[in-house]
Amino acid sequence: MKRAPRSVKVMFASTILTLEALVAFFATLAAFGTFYNSETWVKVIVWIVGLALVGAFIAAPAFLSKKWGYTVGWVLQVLLILSSLVVSMMLFISVCFALCYWYAVSKGEQIDRENAERARAQAEWERNNPA
């Protein structure tokens, strides 16, 4: 019984988004450290926004099977880049991860196309050469 092939694009993008959840969590810790001596409400806002971003990164791979799922991924990339307004070193890290996300999506799409072509050629060969 043949299995439907899994999308490499979804697998690559899911991996990057999951890794970014860890990055967002550590950025939240860094932001909390930056505002450690601030008022309590500031620290609470840091944790709420940070953990919401972590949750969004964890939930985003579930939507990659939808056409708009990749748009959600790009919005999260922009939000991670904007986190550099609070923790300046996040600019370098978040731009690197945005490039990784772009590469994962584009290369995964290319590999999926090649796999579909290979499967089509294999099915044609099997049809023309019965056992």
Side-chain angles (χ1 to χ4, degrees), residues 27-72:
T28 302
L29 288 174
F32 177 73
T34 301
F35 294 105
Y36 185 73
N37 292 326
S38 298
E39 310 242 350
T40 303
W41 66 270
V42 173
K43 292 186 272 189
V44 169
I45 288 176
V46 166
W47 278 109
I48 290 172
V49 171
L51 293 179
L53 190 60
V54 169
F57 274 114
I58 290 173
F63 303 116
L64 291 178
S65 60
K66 311 270 190 258
K67 192 169 186 99
W68 50 269
Y70 293 96
T71 305
V72 170

